[in-house]
Amino acid sequence: MTPMFKRRPSIVMTVVFLIAALIAVPAPADAQRDYEYIDISNPFLRKIPVAIPGFASGNGDPGELQSAEKAGRVLSETLDFSGYFKIIDPGAYLEAPRQTGVTAEEITFRSWTVIGAEMLVTGKAAHIDGLLELELRLFDTFKAELLVGKRYRGEPKDFRRMVRRFCSEVIYLLTGDWGVFESQIAFVSDGTGAKEIFLCDFDGHNPRQWTGHDSIVLSPAWSTDGKWIAYTSYAKGKPDLFIRHVEEKRGVVVSREGINTSPDWVPGQFALAATLSFSGDPEIYLLTGSGKIIKRITKKRGIDESPSWSPDGRKLAFVSNRSGTPQIFVQEMETGRVERLTFQGRYNTQPSWSPKGDKIAYTAMVNGEINICVIGVDGSAPVQLTSNAGDNESASWAPDGSLVVFSSTREGRSRIYVMTAYGTDQRRLLSLAGEQSSPAWSARMSSP
Amino acid sequence: MQKKVWIALALFLILPGLLFTVSCAKKTVKTDEAAMTAPEETATQVQQEQTQQEEMASKQQADMEKQRALEAEKLAMQEAQRQAMLARQQFESENIYFEFDSSALLTPAQDTLSRKAQYLRENPNIRLIIEGHCDERGTDEYNLALGDRRANSAKSFLVDLGISPSRLTTISYGEERPLDPRHNEEAWAKNRRCEFVIE
């Protein structure tokens, strides 16, 4: 099996409060290791059956028990979110590591293989000097082998981050990629009576309002370092492009005549493509992060908009109606050569280039129904991922390309949903007042 | 003959004395005399008064006429204002409509724009905002671009009819501000439009 998920240098995060220690793991030395647990050609076809029994506590005091319970629940939810696992019903478990122990020596692996568990996660929470210590282990039950073992110590309120860090290690082991557990999602919500940008964790947890324009807001886009968001707002009465730092109160507004819309950041750079119509015609331009035009990218009469960069920044997918209807085109930046990508249907918009570079998600309207599709970058095999579930729009890839976030009206009002890259496991991300749209998934961030 | 002279003389002397006596003794006579002369004076007065009255009346009438004229003028002005307002309202309320995913100007839209150009020529101080809108179908970003194209189609047409582009501003709202919030063909047809707002 050839690993499709390319390994990239692990990002070592410096987190002061959180001390992670490796629990002795017979580490596989080869970097060329196959990812034997996941069929990477379709990792969601067969989910890995995993058992996650209740976490043990150090001395059994009520605070520890509560931490153990919360950590166990969040770990189960987090691994489940990835779409790679099938969590076996705890009612089937024959053994309770909470009582017997959480280490390989204390576990009877046969008790787990007989119920179909191929993997087992054990955990133990202890309160030491006001800090929470979490000991988390992932086992291969058939090989009776420890795959990942970590000990974290930090403020009890940060238990979620410890759990997520461990889950990232698990995903890294299985796929060679750090996954989505340390990423954020930006989206538009009108629950306050006006459209504003909100941010939330990858799983919809901790939603919070980010803009306060009391106006119309559209199309948020993260810079690849997760520090900036560009978006369109009518705060000054017309559609202007706002480029703002996520945490600090600084940024610029591109306020040229006409529309200033649909930004997409150049991977790894403080620069972005966006649609401007000051020439009298919506065209795509390359801008610096401070809003200065570097150059004009498209040069065709009619609509050109919604740029989306390839991960290497060498190609740009965009929407153009130059052939009569809105279709996705791809432009090679160096040569300027443009090729049409989509040929099915009369309305294909919102291209979103996958982080792996091999696919482009887009929105297709057929017979008035709007759905998310995915197509190979060579135009091969367009696949429809949503169907018969209201209008589905604005696909945005998770940083590892395993999941797609999008908006849907399947339950009436527009809300945010997540599915795997293959269209499976479609579920609502969060419940908020009003309508939500335009989700944008950030890169993996060290400090969300 | 001498006697006749004397009588005549006496009469000549006495009569005025008599007359004088009478006039002294009977003031009423004089009054009468005055009374006799009075009608003449009164007549003059009356005439004067009449003239005055007439003058006043005519002045009043003039004033009233002036007033009336003023009022008429005011009314006319109000009417003109009303008409202008109506024309303005008519101008602003008359949208142009588009086909799905199109910014091409249909014949009725061109007719409407010609009337708008006429109005803009008659009101050279007016500046205009052209708003481009889309129906809810399709996707946000494309619809923003489409709304921009629609507003610019209308602008170009007005410019071709001689309206200075410096008087025309465009703004696209995409699908953000539907006129009709329903989700059917009728609503969509109403929402694919340009609106014209006088600045």
Side-chain angles (χ1 to χ4, degrees), chain A residues 195 219 234 237 281 349-350, chain B residues 139 141 148-149 171-172 176:
Chain A
K195 284 192 169 180
S219 323
Y234 285 69
D281 199 35
T349 59
Q350 297 183 326
Chain B
T139 45
E141 296 81 10
D148 186 72
R149 291 284 294 161
I171 177 166
S172 171
E176 298 298 318

Side-chain angles (χ1 to χ4, degrees), chain A residues 18 148 162 171 223 246 268 282 316 394:
Chain A
L18 197 145
V148 182
M162 302 184 208
I171 298 300
S223 64
V246 175
L316 188 73
S394 297

Side-chain angles (χ1 to χ4, degrees), chain A residues 1-16:
Chain A
M1 213 187 296
T2 335
M4 187 166 72
F5 295 122
K6 257 192 279 171
R7 280 199 156 191
R8 65 176 183 203
S10 78
I11 303 158
V12 181
M13 293 175 292
T14 42
V15 184
V16 184

Side-chain angles (χ1 to χ4, degrees), chain B residues 1-15:
Chain B
M1 185 64 188
Q2 284 263 341
K3 209 181 170 178
K4 274 187 184 177
V5 171
W6 280 108
I7 291 165
L9 188 70
L11 276 171
F12 187 75
L13 288 170
I14 292 160
L15 265 172

Side-chain angles (χ1 to χ4, degrees), chain A residues 302-303 321 324-326 346-347 365, chain B residues 96-107 109-110 132-135 137 142-143 145-154 188-189 191-194:
Chain A
I303 296 173
N321 68 351
T325 59
R346 299 179 51 77
Y347 197 105
M365 180 155 64
Chain B
I96 60 170
Y97 299 95
F98 296 85
E99 291 184 316
F100 176 70
D101 185 28
S102 169
S103 55
L105 298 172
L106 304 167
T107 312
Q110 295 187 16
H133 297 268
C134 303
D135 67 31
R137 292 176 302 163
Y142 184 79
N143 276 340
L146 182 60
D148 186 72
R149 291 284 294 161
R150 285 178 176 163
N152 272 306
S153 289
W188 295 331
N191 293 336
R192 294 189 299 264
R193 69 199 191 277
C194 276

